[in-house]
Amino acid sequence: MPKSRPNVAVIGATGAVGDVFLRVAEERNFPLNSLKLLATARSAGKRLRFLDADIVVEETTEAALKGADLVFCSATSAASRQYAPFIIGEGAVMIDDGSAFRMQANVPLVIPEVNGEDVEWHEGIISIPNCTTTPLAMALHAMRQVAPLRRVTVATYQATSGTGAAAVEELRSQLAAFGRGEPIPLPSVYPHQIAMNVLPQVDVFGEDGYTAEEAKMRNETRKILHLDGLQFSATCARVPTIVGHAEAVHVEFTGPAPLAAIREALSKQAGLVVMDDPANSVYPMPLNTAGDDRAFVGRLRVDESTDYGIAFWCVTDNLRKGAATNAIQIAEELIKRGRL
Ligand code: A2P
């Protein structure tokens, strides 16, 4: 019997995404029957607000997960791997924000506005894409309605909340020390100081010189769009902002893709907003898009360096559409399709 008001558990409820998850679930009036908030033993006993109740956080254990129909997981890959077998064994569905299962062949990787139908073939786990992949795949999906995609190159400018609450705290404490004219505390989350700096490293380096984040963007974009052969190269950088990942993107098509048609396709794409009035310095930035559930695109122009090219800029609240909102939309899609 499909569930329309599930019992929900959130693993990682005390984290940067977990907090936004609760706010988005409230805003969207997500139809839940019960809600359990889970984290590590360190957080057990903390109280978190949801609607008009204070919910006591529990340690994540199999006993605590028992009875859940839907489990949102935004913790660590290790936690996702540890609890997935139990969750599936219980007949529940896990919506996972981590990278543990994203590329597994029997795990759909879903952005509801792009490939919502992929939830149909889930076997207990559905992954949400990396927070930089989501807005890019949405824009590319809109653009491919105009002409087939050949090649994508992208540079990202990623906020510290993408790393988690401890990274945001590291930036804050470095900025505070700078403001007071004191020595800046040594980093512990990042390999270098993040305040007043840009780090051309997000995640660890692979043997080919790309970071894991860059490889994720490439592999996930191909999987979501069902375009295994898409030529793709990314450079991901961490910048000293708190919320909002920005991306500079260049796309090559296999044939003519007129700018006006691209603009129209982007404006029609669900979940995407074109914010593009360069004469008045209007374009998306972390500060004018944070708190919004949509992805924003601007600085649209012809890329003169190739035959059929378009360049653009996009910014998205990484905690919302990049994570929590997308996860909740997947749950809504499952309920709508009777697949929970
Ligand atoms: P805790 O707050 O108890 O450490 P962030 O991405 O902001 O760093 O947050 C990570 C979230 O994942 C936190 O809620 C954290 O709990 C939780 N978490 C980390 N490791 C585990 C684990 N092994 N099992 C369950 N929750 C975990």
Side-chain angles (χ1 to χ4, degrees):
M1 192 48 190
K3 310 264 180 352
S4 54
R5 286 191 86 80
N7 296 317
V8 173
V10 182
I11 303 178
T14 51
V17 173
D19 175 48
V20 175
F21 180 90
L22 296 179
R23 304 294 75 81
V24 177
E26 287 174 339
E27 290 163 17
R28 296 175 80 91
N29 205 11
F30 183 77
L32 47 82
N33 183 50
S34 67
L35 178 62
K36 264 197 185 173
L37 302 182
L38 308 174
T40 68
R42 287 187 296 276
S43 302
K46 269 190 191 165
R47 285 166 184 276
L48 296 177
R49 195 87 187 152
F50 183 71
L51 295 173
D52 49 5
D54 277 335
I55 301 181
V56 179
V57 177
E58 296 173 48
E59 181 183 359
T60 314
T61 59
E62 292 184 357
L65 287 166
K66 204 155 181 64
D69 306 304
L70 186 60
V71 179
F72 292 96
C73 186
S74 183
T76 58
S77 287
S80 300
R81 287 208 176 85
Q82 182 178 349
Y83 296 108
F86 178 79
I87 294 165
I88 297 169
E90 291 289 293
V93 177
M94 176 177 179
I95 298 180
D96 189 30
D97 181 28
S99 59
F101 304 110
R102 284 184 192 142
M103 295 311 296
Q104 205 166 291
N106 64 343
V107 173
L109 182 62
V110 177
I111 304 168
E113 299 95 329
V114 174
N115 62 333
E117 65 284 357
D118 281 347
V119 302
E120 294 283 352
W121 48 269
H122 83 80
E123 295 177 9
I125 305 176
I126 298 175
S127 285
I128 72 163
N130 182 29
C131 40
T132 46
T133 306
T134 301
L136 177 62
M138 291 170 79
L140 294 176
H141 179 63
M143 290 180 166
R144 71 169 160 176
Q145 316 302 324
V146 177
L149 309 171
R150 183 200 301 281
R151 176 166 182 254
V152 177
T153 51
V154 53
T156 71
Y157 309 74
Q158 299 181 218
T160 49
S161 59
T163 316
V168 175
E169 192 42 46
E170 183 156 301
L171 171 62
R172 282 187 201 281
S173 64
Q174 291 175 357
L175 288 175
F178 179 77
R180 292 191 299 264
E182 292 171 1
I184 294 186
L186 288 175
S188 61
V189 176
Y190 292 119
H192 303 280
Q193 178 182 315
I194 182 69
M196 278 78 65
N197 207 2
V198 173
L199 312 183
Q201 176 182 1
V202 179
D203 214 328
V204 295
F205 285 98
E207 280 178 8
D208 60 0
Y210 283 89
T211 61
E213 186 86 346
E214 292 159 357
K216 280 183 231 167
M217 282 192 88
R218 178 192 62 220
N219 299 339
E220 294 175 17
T221 303
R222 288 176 176 164
K223 178 168 175 173
I224 295 160
L225 298 179
H226 302 281
L227 284 179
D228 290 348
L230 182 65
Q231 296 174 33
F232 196 102
S233 180
T235 301
C236 294
R238 187 72 65 187
V239 299
T241 54
I242 291 181
V243 175
H245 288 353
E247 307 181 26
V249 190
H250 292 253
V251 184
E252 258 179 76
F253 301 86
T254 59
L259 190 57
I262 291 286
R263 191 181 295 280
E264 196 190 337
L266 287 167
S267 355
K268 284 189 184 151
Q269 171 64 45
L272 204 68
V273 178
V274 178
M275 184 192 274
D276 194 21
D277 180 9
N280 290 303
S281 299
V282 173
Y283 32 68
M285 298 175 287
L287 288 184
N288 63 0
T289 58
D292 200 298
D293 283 312
R294 301 164 299 175
F296 291 80
V297 169
R299 298 284 328 274
L300 261 174
R301 60 210 190 274
V302 171
D303 179 352
E304 305 275 4
S305 70
T306 182
D307 285 344
Y308 309 117
I310 292 284
F312 66 98
W313 172 252
C314 89
V315 186
T316 312
D317 183 322
N318 53 298
L319 299 175
R320 282 189 171 251
K321 186 57 187 166
T325 305
N326 201 57
I328 290 179
Q329 286 176 309
I330 291 172
E332 291 168 347
E333 190 78 26
L334 282 168
I335 292 171
K336 189 175 83 187
R337 292 171 180 264
R339 287 292 287 118
L340 190 62

